[in-house]
Amino acid sequence: QVQLLESGGGLVQAGDSLRLSCAASGRTVSSYVMGWFRQAPGKEREFVAAILRSGDSTYYVDSVKGRFTISRDNAKNTVYLQMNSLKPEDTGVYYCAASQRSGIKVAPFEYAYWGQGTQVTVSS
């Protein structure tokens, strides 16, 4: 199975950018559909973005379209989430996840493997 470790979170101001990384070990990320989710205090975990094994197809929740970009570097066994024009409502713990299923997946239950998360806080 794959182990996932997120990094790159932090405290930023509205309008700033961050790049999150998700480093995989145990198996190659090319074996999985990869996704990013986030969870704000008191709220359910929310889908943010996903990318297919080949990297040629991505999908985003409407609230981040045009601002966030998911990408993968299979050679480095790492998945990224570039976040631009950050807003206070983007605040939360961001999780990287891996799914063995086919196609873009947006529901948390479709992902079998999860990292521990990295905190992103956007101040206004």
Side-chain angles (χ1 to χ4, degrees):
Q1 65 183 31
V2 65
Q3 292 81 44
L4 304 172
L5 181 63
E6 304 94 336
S7 62
L11 172 63
V12 297
Q13 293 186 336
D16 286 349
S17 298
L18 279 175
R19 188 177 80 158
L20 305 183
S21 298
C22 172
S25 60
R27 290 196 66 181
T28 61
V29 292
S30 59
S31 300
Y32 302 94
V33 171
M34 299 299 296
W36 284 96
F37 290 75
R38 65 187 179 189
Q39 189 165 18
K43 295 188 176 181
E44 293 187 352
R45 195 165 296 190
E46 173 191 32
F47 169 81
V48 176
I51 186 168
L52 292 183
R53 291 173 176 82
S54 62
D56 61 357
S57 183
T58 57
Y59 186 77
Y60 302 90
V61 67
D62 285 347
S63 60
V64 308
K65 285 181 181 177
R67 300 189 298 122
F68 289 14
T69 302
I70 186 172
S71 62
R72 63 194 304 157
D73 186 334
N74 289 338
K76 293 185 177 180
N77 221 23
T78 301
V79 177
Y80 304 98
L81 185 68
Q82 178 66 44
M83 306 186 296
N84 299 329
S85 302
L86 282 161
K87 303 176 180 180
E89 51 264 43
D90 294 319
T91 294
V93 178
Y94 282 70
Y95 297 91
C96 175
S99 174
Q100 294 176 299
R101 304 187 181 194
S102 299
I104 293 292
K105 303 301 177 188
V106 302
F109 76 86
E110 296 182 291
Y111 290 79
Y113 306 104
W114 293 82
Q116 293 188 335
T118 184
Q119 176 70 46
V120 172
T121 304
V122 185
S123 63
S124 56

